[in-house]
Amino acid sequence: MASIAWREHKGFCIDPDYAPSKQTITTNGIDSLPWHKYIEKENVDEEFNTLSPQDTTPNKKLTKSEKRELRQTKKINVQRRKQMQRQMELDSSNTAIEATFKPYLAKQELNQIYNKIIAKKPTAKGTALDFKVAQCHSISVYKSDLEHILPGEWFNDNNISFIFELIKETFINSGQCRPFTNQVQLLFPSVVQLVQHFPASDIENLLPMDDLKKSRFIFLPINMIEEPLEELDLETANNGDHWVLGILSLLDEKLYIYDSMKIDDDVKGDSQLQNLCKKLESCSNLVRGKIKIVSLNCDQQRNFDDCGVFVVMITCYLVNQFCFEEEISLDLSHIKFNPLDARLSLMKLVSKFIS
């Protein structure tokens, strides 16, 4: 598989001579991007950067639950300090990073941040089952969206749309990154879903063609569905069964597919992807020839809940390369992703945009 290079005066191009490293890397994907350098500090709610318990006066007697929370918080903070020190000592040793990750503490921190976000909306909490908690540019985040970030939950399309919007506004369209980053475009899940169902003659009317015409790579979060496409009800189709990530390369007219639950001889899945390619091929102002589907190896999920998390992790990891690396490899077979840590990082990102 050919790799990609970024060139200062023309952007992205195929580089057949680049031989990427095969060293194993452990990451949550999301933290690959330098969010802290680009997200404005005034958006950050410092309350969510630490896990300190609610303020109590010295004379107030703590309840058993408050004491338990205080002990848990102290343990988490101690563990975080040890982890940071350990990582500094061992530099970039992926074995050390993986060994210091504590799933139990990550789940505790996830739930604490979630509870703090919800607690900031006491009025709404008492009057509605669901309510808006954050606003990230054009994407509104609701309580139900936060619940999907918690462990054991399946990412919905708004979770993916949130991170896609944040990537676009923070890096790709911000004007703060290097030239030609707009050659990478991200389509929301809802748009990809509509492309699969609309008549081919109307597809270009759905898409942001002005942006896509400048692009070389288009990220497509695809909701794979078990039912035959012709029998689908558009009102319920977004529920889907499984998320995969597609990257349409207009440099070589290939649709690269990352599937974290890869199944050999998946006839229905292949048929859905072929149908998507035909719809994209109908965009004569975008695609010049026939699209070839290429399935790439990637880390596999270990449960039935993390497919959407993998779409987000892989997207962030690759966007970091597209925005900041001279050479880009689409080969992720040596990358080990941590979905629980990614859920935690995503919840922290949401906390920066509490409305």
Side-chain angles (χ1 to χ4, degrees), residues 61-106:
K61 186 176 180 180
L62 297 176
T63 64
K64 288 184 178 180
S65 61
E66 288 174 333
K67 289 179 180 178
R68 184 167 57 252
E69 182 181 358
L70 182 60
R71 287 195 300 270
Q72 290 174 343
T73 299
K74 288 181 178 179
K75 288 180 181 179
I76 291 173
N77 287 334
V78 168
Q79 181 61 36
R80 290 172 71 188
R81 286 195 296 270
K82 287 182 178 179
Q83 181 174 346
M84 291 176 64
Q85 182 179 0
R86 180 69 170 164
Q87 289 181 6
M88 290 175 64
E89 290 174 353
L90 298 181
D91 194 24
S92 59
S93 170
N94 289 293
T95 302
I97 293 174
E98 194 169 7
T100 55
F101 179 75
K102 304 296 182 183
Y104 174 78
L105 295 177

Side-chain angles (χ1 to χ4, degrees), residues 39 43-45 48-49 347-354:
I39 294 181
N43 286 339
V44 179
D45 190 337
F48 298 100
N49 288 341
M347 189 73 81
K348 289 179 179 179
L349 280 176
V350 173
S351 73
K352 299 178 186 294
F353 294 88
I354 302 303

Side-chain angles (χ1 to χ4, degrees), residues 1-4 12-16 215-218 247-256 281 286-294 296 322 328 330:
M1 179 183 63
S3 295
I4 304 146
F12 299 102
C13 57
I14 298 293
D15 183 5
S215 67
R216 298 292 180 270
F217 298 93
I218 304 173
I247 299 180
L248 177 61
S249 169
L250 297 175
L251 290 178
D252 52 7
E253 295 189 329
K254 292 179 181 178
L255 178 64
Y256 294 100
E281 289 166 2
L286 184 64
V287 179
R288 302 300 180 185
K290 188 173 180 61
I291 299 172
K292 179 181 179 181
I293 299 173
V294 179
L296 297 179
F322 278 113
I328 299 100
L330 298 181

